[in-house]
Amino acid sequence: MTTPRRSRHRLALAIVVVFAVVGVFAVRLVDIQLVRADQLTSDALNKRAVVTPTYAARGGIVDTNGVVLAASVNRYDVAVSPANFVKMDAAGGFGVVAKDGTKTTVTVMQAATELATLTKQDPATVYQSLTKNPTSNYALVTKSVDLATRRAIEKLKIPGIVFQLHPKRVYPNGAVAGNLTGYMNTEGPGGGLEVTEKKCLASTDGSSTYEQGADGVQIPGSAVTTKASVPGGTLKLALDSDLDWFSTQAIAEQGTAIGAQSGTAIVLRVKDFHIMAAADWPAVDPNNIDGSAVANFGSLAFSAAYEPGSVFKAMSAAILLDTGIGSPTMQATVPSRWTTPEGGFVRDAIGHPTQQLTLTGVLQNSSNVGISMLGSKVPEDVRLAYMKKFGLGQRTAVDFLGEQSGSLGVSGSAAKPWDDQSKYNVLYGQGVSATALQVAQIFGTLGNGGVKLPLTLVESCTKADGTVTDLPSATGTRVVTENTAKTVVNMLESVIQGGELSQAVKIPGYRVAGKSGTAEVAGPGGYTSDRIVSFAGIAPAEDPQYVVVVTYTKPATMKSSAAAAPTFKKIMSQVLTKYRVPPSTTPSTYPATTW
């Protein structure tokens, strides 16, 4: 029989034990809830939390009318939690319930094979992604699948798959302006405006965290943005994509017909020097960089410097007039071959009897001899200074990727920059080089009353917050007087009205001013039989609004500016019609061409 005393001892012991146990739990509870609460919460969260990147869309490139030339479309990265798949692998797979309610066990290798089929990968590579890092909560299976592939993957009902939005670059209009937009590759911007305008176009990626359940599936509503993503800005170009397409087709058609190596077509708006078209042929498609040589990606209009030939005579005439040394009716007795005072010679492309030509007649007949005899009256250093003011020998304000500055052919002193032969050759565009855009800039300056404006390809950049930047400068530089510019344009009407190409370049209803160019191509041992042919013109001549320059490189047939004239007429006619330029109301008159 138990005595009361012993019972009391047992009760006291039990109470002590209970209090001890309660004390342990209390201490543990304080430790968990107070002392180590933050650490334990963090550890628990880390076991079920997954941090993922949040990709922002790169900014778009649009033409002057808002037509999209480059954009980012939705694509998805496929990610998983390897820790979850390692557990499933150890368990022999996972169950998939069909529509009829039947349950099938699918192994991780089977899942990897099905994923690999849809994502066009090797099954072993996908299996490695699922299981290689057994403690990781994040691994990338593949990048940039489209919506159809995402939906196909979802139908596999593989647990733990997460889709992350990851925009991809596309060019909806293909080769239209592809020479200007550039392209994107796996390492980032690969050319053109994608490179030079990355400050506007580039996006800033962010990050987010979500919680996953025991099965590795994201818990709905658990995503939290830890760093906000910022999309890129919209780059608006001065380019008219429809006109650029038309110009590309026009030079492609004629370029193919004459067997040319390449061609360019420039359309410049005179009032603001906006580049409305800068077409190259062959054209390049930034959606298919593997289908074209990477070297072809870029704009020949900016990067191909060539000896422009007789189109330079318009500038030489302007220099003569602006210095007061010459006039439209300045006289010259012009043989087909002229011996220079230094003992060299200059000849015209086609032999002819001695002619009595005015400076206007020299332009109309495109006489190398005539422009050399008259233009050489201007001191060399003065001529050089004018050429620089017209923008030669330097990159344009566009500063396009790979743009060439061209060459002024200078080899001597400041007072005598050219040798005894080159000082004549430069007057008719030989021994110097320029790009098609620089030639357009010369004619734009003459059309704009003698004021050179900065060439403009980019109209603006509108950032994601609405801020507008990169607005073009409207500050011009006077190169020649307004009277000089208007007079030269008027003189160039003689080329259209009475020159040998008049029938090929006349546009009914409009007064047009222009100049042809046929330049020899230099080779290692001197000039070759190859030619670069061009035609540059302004319309309407009485109120200049647009400049068109067409150039073909190394045509196999029609190795003269006659090859470029029809394309000039075709593009200029389209320009005048598209922009509803009123027809001329006064007849074309110009100074006398002979004396």
Side-chain angles (χ1 to χ4, degrees):
M1 182 174 182
T2 303
T3 63
R5 184 180 218 179
R6 183 176 298 175
S7 297
R8 287 195 296 271
H9 285 167
R10 288 178 177 175
L11 180 60
L13 181 60
I15 291 171
V16 170
V17 171
V18 170
F19 273 104
V21 171
V22 171
V24 169
F25 276 108
V27 171
R28 184 64 173 165
L29 187 61
V30 170
D31 180 52
I32 292 174
Q33 291 190 339
L34 297 176
V35 178
R36 294 195 296 147
D38 292 342
Q39 180 62 42
L40 292 173
T41 299
S42 177
D43 290 345
L45 181 62
N46 287 339
K47 290 183 179 180
R48 67 176 190 274
V50 178
V51 179
T52 62
T54 304
Y55 296 102
R58 185 174 176 82
I61 302 176
V62 300
D63 80 346
T64 189
N65 300 310
V67 176
V68 177
L69 301 173
S72 295
V73 296
N74 289 345
R75 293 293 183 265
Y76 303 90
D77 291 350
V78 182
V80 297
S81 170
N84 184 56
F85 278 91
V86 169
K87 292 176 184 177
M88 288 190 289
D89 210 18
F94 55 90
V96 174
V97 179
K99 288 183 179 180
D100 60 3
T102 58
K103 185 175 181 180
T104 304
T105 298
V106 178
T107 67
V108 174
M109 189 62 209
Q110 286 174 326
T113 301
E114 292 175 329
L115 273 175
T117 300
L118 292 175
T119 59
K120 297 178 175 58
Q121 297 182 89
D122 178 57
T125 301
V126 176
Y127 181 80
Q128 283 286 305
S129 300
L130 301 181
T131 61
K132 184 177 181 180
N133 298 311
T135 61
S136 172
N137 283 321
Y138 179 84
L140 189 66
V141 176
T142 189
K143 288 184 176 182
S144 197
V145 301
D146 58 21
L147 182 58
T149 303
R150 170 180 174 164
R151 288 174 175 169
I153 293 173
E154 288 173 339
K155 288 180 180 179
L156 297 177
K157 296 184 178 180
I158 300 172
I161 293 236
V162 176
F163 297 95
Q164 302 160 346
L165 182 65
H166 193 168
K168 180 183 178 181
R169 203 63 162 170
V170 295
Y171 302 87
N173 284 282
V176 176
N179 58 329
L180 302 173
T181 62
Y183 61 98
M184 296 288 290
N185 55 31
T186 55
E187 298 177 356
L193 295 169
E194 294 282 20
V195 172
T196 59
E197 303 302 319
K198 60 184 177 182
K199 184 178 179 181
C200 172
L201 298 170
S203 59
T204 302
D205 294 335
S207 61
S208 64
T209 302
Y210 69 85
E211 295 181 39
Q212 62 179 0
D215 59 357
V217 177
Q218 179 176 338
I219 298 173
S222 65
V224 177
T225 298
T226 53
K227 179 185 176 182
S229 60
V230 181
T234 298
L235 190 73
K236 185 178 182 182
L237 305 185
L239 202 78
D240 183 325
S241 59
D242 285 345
L243 182 60
D244 196 75
W245 174 86
F246 182 90
S247 300
T248 302
Q249 299 307 304
I251 57 175
E253 180 181 355
Q254 179 71 344
T256 301
I258 63 176
Q261 186 180 88
S262 61
T264 62
I266 309 298
V267 179
L268 186 70
R269 190 163 62 196
V270 171
K271 70 177 183 180
D272 51 16
F273 275 39
H274 279 208
I275 301 170
M276 310 299 292
D280 290 331
W281 171 77
V284 292
D285 186 350
N287 292 307
N288 184 27
I289 60 174
D290 293 332
S292 301
V294 175
N296 288 339
F297 278 87
S299 175
L300 296 175
F302 287 99
S303 64
Y306 61 98
E307 295 192 22
S310 293
V311 292
F312 253 35
K313 291 170 184 171
M315 178 181 62
S316 298
I319 295 172
L320 266 166
L321 267 59
D322 207 60
T323 55
I325 295 173
S327 70
T329 55
M330 184 182 190
Q331 298 175 350
T333 300
V334 183
S336 63
R337 177 186 168 106
W338 174 59
T339 301
T340 69
E342 294 80 12
F345 73 90
V346 176
R347 62 179 176 82
D348 284 338
I350 300 174
H352 59 79
T354 299
Q355 299 171 311
Q356 306 293 105
L357 300 179
T358 64
L359 180 56
T360 302
V362 166
L363 291 181
Q364 185 186 68
N365 289 272
S366 197
S367 173
N368 298 338
V369 173
I371 200 68
S372 297
M373 296 172 69
L374 299 178
S376 59
K377 296 179 183 297
V378 179
E380 291 181 49
D381 58 337
V382 174
R383 279 190 271 153
L384 180 61
Y386 269 101
M387 291 168 70
K388 290 179 178 178
K389 286 169 66 178
F390 271 104
L392 300 174
Q394 56 199 282
R395 290 163 69 102
T396 70
V398 175
D399 199 27
F400 194 78
L401 187 69
E403 180 177 348
Q404 296 297 306
S405 60
S407 171
L408 294 172
V410 173
S411 60
S413 64
K416 190 174 173 54
W418 297 291
D419 62 40
D420 288 343
Q421 185 62 43
S422 295
K423 70 178 182 180
Y424 300 105
N425 295 351
V426 297
L427 290 163
Y428 53 89
Q430 188 168 300
V432 291
S433 63
T435 64
L437 260 302
Q438 288 174 322
V439 172
Q441 190 169 241
I442 292 172
F443 280 76
T445 299
L446 295 173
N448 195 40
V451 176
K452 178 172 70 70
L453 296 172
L455 286 179
T456 296
L457 180 60
V458 173
E459 281 190 0
S460 66
C461 170
T462 303
K463 303 295 282 186
D465 61 2
T467 304
V468 180
T469 60
D470 292 351
L471 296 173
S473 171
T475 303
T477 303
R478 179 158 293 284
V479 179
V480 296
T481 67
E482 183 176 7
N483 183 63
T484 292
K486 288 185 175 181
T487 301
V488 172
V489 171
N490 181 231
M491 293 164 66
L492 291 172
E493 288 190 71
S494 70
V495 176
I496 307 300
Q497 295 298 318
E500 63 178 1
L501 298 176
S502 61
Q503 295 307 310
V505 291
K506 279 184 180 179
I507 300 176
Y510 292 92
R511 290 171 55 182
V512 181
K515 186 70 192 76
S516 59
T518 303
E520 297 176 314
V521 177
Y527 286 101
T528 68
S529 61
D530 288 323
R531 298 290 183 269
I532 295 177
V533 299
S534 61
F535 199 95
I538 304 167
E542 76 280 13
D543 181 23
Q545 295 190 40
Y546 293 96
V547 167
V548 171
V549 177
V550 173
T551 301
Y552 289 110
T553 300
K554 297 181 180 180
T557 61
M558 293 183 70
K559 296 185 178 184
S560 72
S561 51
T567 312
F568 165 82
K569 178 178 179 178
K570 188 173 186 177
I571 295 175
M572 182 61 90
S573 297
Q574 175 69 9
V575 169
L576 296 172
T577 301
K578 179 178 177 62
Y579 298 119
R580 300 182 179 180
V581 178
S584 301
T585 57
T586 57
S588 178
T589 60
Y590 48 86
T593 58
T594 60
W595 58 279

